[in-house]
Structures are given as C-alpha cells and as structure tokens.
Amino acid sequence: MILKTKILTSKDNYFFENSIVYSLTGSLELAKLFSMLCSNQSSFGTYVEKLLYNALPFDIIAYDYIGKGVRNVQPQTDILKVDRKKIKIDGKIPDIIIVDNKKKIIIIYESKIKADKSDTKKIDGDIAGHIKMQKELQKKCPEYKVSFKILSFLPATGTHLETWKTRGADIITGKDFCKLYGISYNDIITKVTNNRQSNLEELKLLFPCI
C-alpha cells in the first residue's frame, strides 16, 4: 500500500500543534509524521481486508440470496462469499461473510491488523455489534448455524487479546485464515510489503528528521 499524505495538506499547523506528540516534543515535524502514520493505519486495515476478500477462491452471493438458493452456481460450489457492496446488517457493514452451504454454516469475520491493539471499550462495542449481526443473520437463515470470528491478520498477544477471549470471541490468525480457505499467505504478505522501500523513501523526503 502506498502511504497517503492527504492529511498534511488538508490540515493546518494549528491541528498538529494541538496534538499529543507536539505537546510532548514541541516538534511540528514529528507531530505531522505521527498524525500521517496514524491516519494510514485505518487505510492499511481496509487494504489488507480487501486483499483477503478478493483472494478468497469462491463465487460471490448477494446478501439477499443467502439461504434462498443461488442461480447459475454449480452444485459443487459449496462455499460462497457474500458481496461486500451495499450490505448492512443491523446498521453495521460486515468485513467478510463466508457461507458454507454443505455444512450449513455462516461465519462473519471482523478483520483486524492486530487484535491486541483494540482497547476494552472498542472490544465490547465490536462484540456487541457482531452479536446483533449474528442474531439477525440467524433469523434470516434459521437452517444455518451462524457464528462470528475475529480475524487478526498479524499474530496478536497481550492483555487485550485475552479480553477478546474472555468476552467469548473466537480468534483466527491471518495465516490460519489463508490456510483454511486455500489462499497463499505469502502472496498476501508480498502485496502488503511491496511498497516498503518507496514508502520509506517518501517519508525521508517529507520528514528529514527520520
């Protein structure tokens, strides 16, 4: 992923001077650098999520057709991925939904770069939202068993990971997700890291302090 620098031109110095980094260091350059990197974390998460979704080797099914049978799909097509476009369940847009028609299961995946980076309030909110989604899907497809999992692309450790688990969340790593669905984890990693050098060179041009 190419780093996005829009925040550097869309915000004035007043914005950066009222940041924690500026308060701690008095450096406008460091404040801008930190803000830009933070703004890219969310974009990076979405980027990895799309890579994983697009790599899933399954036909796409529209959300409205889940549990109703699918036209023009060969009988041997047991697993489908739900179309990401124009879908909301209980007001929330799911990251990845897999429908296994043979096993009669539906799995909602909440994608995270590292599951241990969420604080307790965020974890509680995510779980509550997914429980609602799970119940709505279960009502829509009573013949299926619906569950949700936290997909942590990078291996996670620490107290926040334990918080997920104590709240009843089932966590799967990106590597195990890829293995489960026949995706090349190495190919995903290559795509994730292929802009490292150009990103670093761009940062050095923008921020001589590096």
Side-chain angles (χ1 to χ4, degrees):
M1 187 188 88
I2 301 296
L3 284 172
K4 298 177 181 178
T5 61
K6 184 179 179 180
I7 191 172
L8 299 177
T9 55
S10 63
K11 304 291 184 182
D12 57 20
N13 286 348
Y14 179 80
F15 172 83
F16 301 107
E17 289 169 353
N18 282 276
S19 68
I20 294 174
V21 173
Y22 187 82
S23 297
L24 290 171
T25 66
S27 170
L28 184 61
E29 188 177 16
L30 284 177
K32 288 183 176 181
L33 171 60
F34 186 80
S35 294
M36 193 193 85
L37 291 176
C38 285
S39 69
N40 274 273
Q41 287 188 28
S42 178
S43 299
F44 182 62
T46 302
Y47 173 73
V48 171
E49 177 191 314
K50 288 181 178 178
L51 283 179
L52 291 170
Y53 177 86
N54 290 334
L56 287 165
F58 309 130
D59 289 323
I60 297 173
I61 181 175
Y63 175 70
D64 289 342
Y65 283 96
I66 296 177
K68 296 181 179 179
V70 188
R71 294 180 181 177
N72 301 321
V73 175
Q74 297 300 318
Q76 63 266 31
T77 304
D78 296 322
I79 303 177
L80 300 163
K81 56 184 178 182
V82 177
D83 193 345
R84 292 162 51 91
K85 299 176 182 178
K86 298 180 181 179
I87 170 175
K88 279 191 178 183
I89 306 175
D90 198 59
K92 182 177 175 62
I93 301 174
D95 293 336
I96 299 172
I97 299 179
I98 301 294
V99 180
D100 190 324
N101 289 315
K102 186 175 183 179
K103 295 181 180 179
K104 293 295 182 182
I105 60 174
I106 297 173
I107 305 176
I108 306 167
Y109 287 99
E110 170 75 10
S111 178
K112 305 283 185 185
I113 293 299
K114 286 195 75 174
D116 57 1
K117 296 305 180 184
S118 301
D119 60 35
T120 302
K121 288 184 178 179
K122 182 71 165 60
I123 290 172
D124 286 341
D126 277 342
I127 289 178
H130 278 78
I131 288 175
K132 289 182 179 179
M133 292 173 63
Q134 183 181 355
K135 288 180 178 178
E136 184 169 325
L137 256 178
Q138 192 65 74
K139 184 178 179 180
K140 175 181 174 64
C141 308
E143 70 277 20
Y144 286 75
K145 179 181 179 181
V146 181
S147 63
F148 77 89
K149 297 178 184 287
I150 302 301
L151 168 56
S152 181
F153 180 69
L154 298 176
T157 58
T159 56
H160 290 315
L161 182 62
E162 292 304 313
T163 302
W164 281 110
K165 291 180 179 178
T166 57
R167 300 300 197 274
D170 189 4
I171 298 175
I172 184 172
T173 65
K175 194 170 187 177
D176 287 341
F177 178 88
C178 289
K179 184 178 180 180
L180 179 63
Y181 294 117
I183 300 171
S184 171
Y185 182 73
N186 289 336
D187 284 352
I188 298 294
I189 290 295
T190 297
K191 291 176 182 178
V192 166
T193 60
N194 65 359
N195 296 118
R196 274 181 175 173
Q197 190 59 40
S198 59
N199 283 336
L200 183 58
E201 291 172 0
E202 177 72 8
L203 284 175
K204 287 179 177 179
L205 289 174
L206 291 170
F207 304 101
C209 64
I210 297 178

